[in-house]
Structures are given as structure tokens and as C-alpha cells.
Amino acid sequence: MEITWHPYYPVDAGLPHYVANEAPLLKLLVAFAATIAIVVVAVLTVARRIHPKMVTSDQLVVSWFALWYFVWNHRRLAGMQTLFAQLWKEYALSDSRYLTSDPFMLCVESFTVVVLGPLCWAIVVAIARRSHVRHPLQVIMCVGHLYSVVLYYSTSLTELYFNGVSHSRPEFLYFWVYYVGFNAPWVVVPAVILFQSVVRIKNGLQDRHVKAA
């Protein structure tokens, strides 16, 4: 089978529909940052109207959970020229599984769309309405985030070390900045929020136990 040239690893990955990005990276990043800013500002504006006295830490949590991403058109992504498609093709230089319809990635991203995505918005609403279900939902959400990241790294690194198959280009930018660095927030932020929620739940149960005694 003839292999269409592409810059991704492994070099024999089947991407017959691949089309190089039309926009330069800087333009893509600026457009993406602007889009993210609009989303965050819009969500925070609504949340503040519902909860005018929302503290800064809660605003940061709302912003985090508002930033969830729908992955769709996976079979045609490599040939698309939309903003998110071009950004995803750039990131895929660090993990080509996003472009090859890898079964693991499809399962994880489908779970993200169907379960974690709506759950993020449920948490945003819970924070804005000062609902007591906020912290239990955050625990579920953060555990889901952390577990997904563990699977994401472990499946890729297992293929690399046991089968010698790398899905990332070897350059520092793509492996350490894109693959490692860009995913680091999905470990650090959920871990911090998880810790805070566990502490709040523990303190609440202790207070209830003291009052009951």
C-alpha cells in the first residue's frame, strides 16, 4: 500500500487524507487563545451574575471546567483546515494517534464527550448556584481526568518501550513541550482540585459528626 508523505510518527502511519496546515502556527495560537478567552469570559460573566460574590478561587475552577473540548470528525481531521483541526494536527506531531483513528483515543475522547464534558458544565452550574453537590462532582471529575491521563501516557509509552513504536516526533518541542508539557496541567490542576474537594468533604463530615455528638 502506498504511504502518503506526512510529518508524523511512525512514518508508516496511514494518513491518506493528510493535508498540510495552511495557517502559520502563530496565527493558529492567537486565534485559539482568543477563542478560549471568549469562552472563559462568557462563562465567568454568567456565573458571576448567578453568584455575584464568587471568590477568585471558584472563578478559576469555573474557568478550568469550562475548557472542555469536543473531538469529532476524527476520520477527516487530517484533511481539514478549520481552526481546531489545524491546531490538532500541530499537536498530533507529538501523538499521531489523534489522526489515525486509534481505538484507545476514540474510546477516551468519546468518554470525554459523553460523560466528562457534560459533567464539567454540571460543576460550573453547581459552583454558580452554590450547590452542595459541587465537591462530590469535582471528585468524580478529577479522578476521571487523572485516570485518563494515566491511560494516555501508559498506553503510548508501553508501545514505545515494548514494541519500539513511537507516536511522537523526537524533537524537544514535540515530545517535551507538546506531549509532556501540554498535558501536565491535566495532572496538576485536577490533583489540586481533588485535594481541595476531599478536604472540604472531610471537614463537612467531621462538623456533622461533632454536631450529632
Side-chain angles (χ1 to χ4, degrees), residues 6 17 33 56 63 67 74 93 112 124 127 148 153 164 169-170 194 213:
H6 57 73
H17 50 306
T56 302
S63 300
L67 299 178
H74 63 274
L93 291 167
T112 299
V124 169
I127 294 173
S148 297
Y153 278 128
R169 292 189 60 86
L194 176 61

Side-chain angles (χ1 to χ4, degrees), residues 123-181:
I123 293 171
V124 169
V125 173
I127 294 173
R129 293 184 174 180
R130 289 168 281 186
S131 171
H132 293 301
V133 303
R134 166 194 172 174
H135 290 288
L137 290 180
Q138 285 185 179
V139 169
I140 297 172
M141 184 74 229
C142 292
V143 170
H145 274 163
L146 293 172
Y147 186 58
S148 297
V149 173
V150 169
L151 290 177
Y152 174 71
Y153 278 128
S154 61
T155 52
S156 178
L157 295 177
T158 297
E159 279 198 81
L160 174 61
Y161 291 113
F162 287 94
N163 300 327
V165 177
S166 174
H167 296 280
S168 173
R169 292 189 60 86
E171 292 87 351
F172 181 89
L173 173 65
Y174 302 123
F175 184 80
W176 290 106
V177 177
Y178 285 13
Y179 182 69
V180 177

Side-chain angles (χ1 to χ4, degrees), residues 19-30:
V19 176
N21 281 349
E22 296 176 348
L25 179 58
L26 181 59
K27 182 178 180 180
L28 292 174
L29 293 177
V30 171

